[in-house]
Amino acid sequence: MVEYLLALGVVAAVFVGFNIGGSSTGITWGPSVGAGIVRKSTAAGVMTVFVFLGGWTVGRNVMTTLSEGIITMELSLSAGVAVLFFIGLGILVANIFGVPVPTSMTTVGAIAGLGLATDTLNYRTIAEIISWWVVTPVLGFWIGVTVGRYVYPVIDRRVQIETSRGPLLVLDREGRLPRPALGPNTTGRELVTTVVVLTIGCYMAFSAGASNVPNAAAPLVSGGNLGTDVGILVATGAIGLGGFTIARRTMTSVGGELSEIPLLAALFVMVTASTITTLLSWIGIPISLVMGTVMTIVGLGWGRATRPITVRGAVTRDTADHEIAPGAITADTAPERAAAPIGEPEPQPVLDARELFNPRAVIKYVSMWVIGPTMSTALAYVFFRLVPGAT
């Protein structure tokens, strides 16, 4: 009976990891795939490698929090399987609503529901986690505002990410030993920018592994039902499978958020969100990579759009003669033209550009950050109260 239950738990963990791979791979590599810098199969393979590295190193700290810190009891095998079921249910609901899955928040909610039902919840740990859930989107937003207002417009006119036809590198066989050389259409600038893009993609994949691998593995690792190393391997394999299959579609569309902004802007977003997620994972806080990503996008667009307004003008409300450019970050800008100084009107092409984000979409994402963990907490609480033997 125990063997069958463990097998069921592994299947549930694979289901959770599979769906995580589908969503996180699209967010991580969608901009690079859309720009033609990397192929989908290559992106999925690299994603799998760096997810494993993130889960094997930093992810262990999050694993400890999920398996030992949130509740004061060890998860039994049956309880771990039930928790994985509620995590999978949360993923399903998020997919139905078409929003990125707040997997870490759903996981914490399901375990917290168990703690409430059994009176074993560690309130100090859960309060610390929730406080970081509040701080993270605010931090991502204001970093995005600062970059969009003061940094992005200048770099956007100096850095052009180029892609050319043909291979990036070829093998030069004219000498005694073959050596790598630039492709027939590749420039040195293109090579450098491509390496930077790929490096940032690997960094974000590492961050995704640090935050997401524990979500699929921790419910079975707690209580020694599954070894930590084995749990990481199972979760990584499932995430990789999702990356090679269902993520191929999300890498093409990537939910509309990153695909509608230039690759350079997406790179700023990826670095910011990955850094926040990796640092919090390092101290053992289960955090959603999506949370930092979405709010950095919003902040980047808001900061870029409000450049015509000076800080003094905003404080004194003297903004009547200035037009805010909501689509500024998606506009095609001329590299030879300097960025308009802060406080001066933007050129007409910027004012006519499409909007960076849809406020209704942002409200939907934030709502899921509240609804997801709340629903998983409530369902887990009711289940473990009605079925105390499952603990």
Side-chain angles (χ1 to χ4, degrees):
M1 181 64 182
V2 174
E3 290 79 6
Y4 289 113
L5 193 58
L6 180 58
L8 180 61
V10 171
V11 171
V14 169
F15 172 75
V16 171
F18 178 78
N19 283 278
I20 290 173
S23 60
S24 60
T25 303
I27 292 174
T28 301
W29 292 104
S32 302
V33 169
I37 293 177
V38 64
R39 295 180 179 179
K40 293 178 181 178
S41 56
T42 303
V46 175
M47 180 77 180
T48 304
V49 171
F50 281 88
V51 161
F52 169 74
L53 293 176
W56 191 267
T57 54
V58 180
R60 292 177 183 270
N61 299 334
V62 180
M63 188 95 69
T64 300
T65 300
L66 291 175
S67 59
E68 302 175 9
I70 297 177
I71 57 177
T72 57
M73 59 176 282
E74 290 185 344
L75 276 174
S76 65
L77 182 55
S78 57
V81 173
V83 166
L84 283 169
F85 170 78
F86 292 120
I87 296 171
L89 183 61
I91 292 174
L92 179 62
V93 171
N95 287 336
I96 291 174
F97 281 93
V99 299
V101 185
T103 315
S104 296
M105 303 173 74
T106 304
T107 303
V108 171
I111 298 175
L114 168 62
L116 287 171
T118 57
D119 198 25
T120 58
L121 182 63
N122 188 331
Y123 288 95
R124 181 176 180 179
T125 299
I126 203 70
E128 181 182 4
I129 292 172
I130 293 176
S131 66
W132 279 111
W133 287 356
V134 175
V135 170
T136 296
V138 176
L139 182 61
F141 175 80
W142 281 109
I143 291 176
V145 168
T146 303
V147 172
R149 184 172 171 86
Y150 300 106
V151 180
Y152 178 79
V154 177
I155 296 180
D156 185 36
R157 286 164 172 78
R158 295 183 178 180
V159 177
Q160 298 296 313
I161 299 178
E162 305 171 351
T163 55
S164 61
R165 293 185 177 182
L168 185 70
L169 296 172
V170 295
L171 206 58
D172 185 359
R173 302 179 182 275
E174 294 184 359
R176 291 185 178 181
L177 297 175
R179 60 184 181 85
L182 296 178
N185 299 315
T186 305
T187 64
R189 184 174 186 173
E190 179 185 358
L191 177 62
V192 172
T193 56
T194 300
V195 170
V196 171
V197 170
L198 294 177
T199 301
I200 293 175
C202 292
Y203 177 42
M204 194 170 190
F206 178 90
S207 177
S211 62
N212 283 321
V213 165
N215 294 320
L220 294 182
V221 169
S222 179
N225 301 309
L226 199 68
T228 302
D229 294 349
V230 175
I232 292 173
L233 290 173
V234 170
T236 300
I239 292 173
L241 182 62
F244 277 101
T245 52
I246 58 176
R248 300 181 70 86
R249 183 175 179 180
T250 60
M251 279 189 280
T252 301
S253 61
V254 78
E257 254 60 7
L258 292 181
S259 60
E260 292 183 3
I261 64 177
L263 180 57
L264 180 62
L267 296 180
F268 277 112
V269 172
M270 293 163 69
V271 169
T272 301
S274 299
T275 300
I276 293 173
T277 303
T278 301
L279 290 177
L280 290 180
S281 298
W282 183 265
I283 63 176
I285 301 296
I287 195 72
S288 172
L289 181 63
V290 171
M291 182 182 289
T293 301
V294 171
M295 295 311 295
T296 304
I297 292 173
V298 175
L300 188 64
W302 184 260
R304 180 65 181 89
T306 56
R307 279 178 61 83
I309 308 299
T310 63
V311 174
R312 177 178 294 181
V315 172
T316 60
R317 299 184 180 180
D318 183 19
T319 61
D321 298 330
H322 302 283
E323 185 174 1
I324 293 179
I329 206 169
T330 61
D332 293 327
T333 54
E336 66 275 3
R337 179 169 181 170
I342 292 178
E344 293 190 6
E346 292 282 2
Q348 195 60 39
V350 172
L351 295 174
D352 293 339
R354 294 179 301 169
E355 291 187 6
L356 170 65
F357 60 91
N358 185 340
R360 292 183 180 179
V362 176
I363 293 173
K364 183 170 67 173
Y365 290 128
V366 175
S367 298
M368 280 305 302
W369 298 343
V370 176
I371 295 172
T374 301
M375 184 183 69
S376 63
T377 301
L379 290 176
Y381 173 78
V382 172
F383 174 80
F384 288 111
R385 288 289 291 182
L386 295 177
V387 191
T391 59

